Amino acid sequence: MIRQLDILVIGAHPDDAEIGMGGTIAKHVEAGKLVGICDLTFAEMSSNGTVALRKEEAEAAAKVLGLSVRSNLGLPDRGLSMAKEQIDEITLAIRKYRPRVVFAPYYKDRHPDHVTCSHMVKEAVFNAKLRNYLPDTLPAHQVDHFYYYFINEIADAQLIVDTSAQFSRKTDALKAYYSQFVARAGQAKDYVATPLNEGYLEQIELRDRLLGHKAKVKYAEGFVSELPYLVNLF
Ligand SMILES: [Zn+2]
């Protein structure tokens, strides 16, 4: 039987979730929450590494973070679209894992797949709660919260999570993607220079420091919500 997840993070490619919120994931796992990542594609269009290698790397990163679930819908890399069949796959993943909170990539990003993924997940979160939508599949499920995490962009974060104590674990999870972030062009056979292996990890550290500065902590990850966040002041 599949256990209900507390948090489900959805990304276009393996490594998206780790880039945006690896610290937040680790923090909630440490707190005993069940966290899963669902990747939409195997990033088969990546310039470096093979699909088989990236699968191994994603599993290694999952172990570092202590994920309860890591799944992949196997949708086409650079072929993500708002097609009903693709969005339905995400809707069914949400119904399968019944998370309390869903995270998607922020809807502005230089990579078009991240933007498409963002819009797809928003549709899927909505459809998942409609009991007359795909009624003969899995029971409808309404998530409590839906937030966006940053991959390449940094915008005005509305929610900030202190990840100071989890930053090194986040870095370890990212380094598990050796073919993407660590192997340099010319160092290993067939590796070419990309934005990811030319100082990307340093950029993520600087971003997390900057977001931390806003909340007077060392490292933080920021999120955007389209709905107001209910706060109890006392
Ligand atoms: Zn990506």
Side-chain angles (χ1 to χ4, degrees), residues 10-219:
I10 300 172
H13 315 105
D15 76 16
D16 288 347
E18 288 89 342
I19 291 169
M21 53 181 294
T24 301
I25 291 169
K27 182 169 187 154
H28 287 83
V29 170
E30 285 171 19
K33 302 298 180 192
L34 300 183
V35 184
I37 294 177
C38 177
D39 307 309
L40 299 192
T41 78
F42 289 105
E44 60 270 24
M45 292 297 157
S46 289
S47 300
N48 290 321
T50 61
V51 169
L53 180 58
R54 293 194 64 133
K55 279 185 190 170
E56 285 174 23
E57 292 174 344
E59 276 309 310
K63 282 204 179 73
V64 171
L65 294 176
L67 297 180
S68 299
V69 170
R70 174 148 224 155
S71 66
N72 194 306
L73 298 184
L75 297 177
D77 192 15
R78 295 303 296 120
L80 292 180
S81 76
M82 299 300 282
K84 179 184 182 309
E85 303 73 43
Q86 292 196 8
I87 294 169
D88 285 351
E89 297 268 347
I90 306 172
T91 302
L92 293 175
I94 292 168
R95 287 183 176 178
K96 180 176 176 184
Y97 297 115
R98 311 185 69 74
R100 292 172 58 203
V101 190
V102 167
F103 288 87
Y106 183 52
Y107 39 82
K108 290 181 191 166
D109 192 287
R110 67 177 165 77
H111 196 315
D113 285 356
H114 299 161
V115 176
T116 307
C117 175
S118 182
H119 296 312
M120 292 168 83
V121 177
K122 180 177 179 178
E123 295 277 335
V125 164
F126 193 89
N127 291 343
K129 70 183 176 189
L130 303 176
R131 64 180 182 151
N132 290 325
Y133 190 85
L134 298 177
D136 300 324
T137 57
L138 296 167
H141 175 68
Q142 176 146 28
V143 307
D144 295 338
H145 303 285
F146 175 43
Y147 302 123
Y148 297 97
Y149 63 89
F150 302 129
I151 304 177
N152 292 310
E153 297 306 309
I154 180 166
D156 280 337
Q158 296 158 339
L159 301 175
I160 296 243
V161 174
D162 178 1
T163 53
S164 306
Q166 290 78 28
F167 185 76
S168 67
R169 191 186 292 268
K170 171 178 182 168
T171 303
D172 288 345
L174 286 167
K175 284 182 177 170
Y177 293 94
Y178 186 86
S179 67
Q180 303 305 301
F181 300 114
V182 182
R184 305 274 165 182
Q187 262 181 12
K189 189 171 156 286
D190 290 337
Y191 279 92
V192 296
T194 72
L196 298 183
N197 60 26
E198 297 277 313
Y200 196 80
L201 293 184
E202 289 86 345
Q203 288 172 35
I204 291 172
E205 174 163 15
L206 291 171
R207 180 179 67 185
D208 289 6
R209 283 294 298 267
L210 198 59
L211 285 163
H213 176 71
K214 288 188 177 227
K216 300 186 178 67
V217 298
K218 187 164 185 188
Y219 291 104

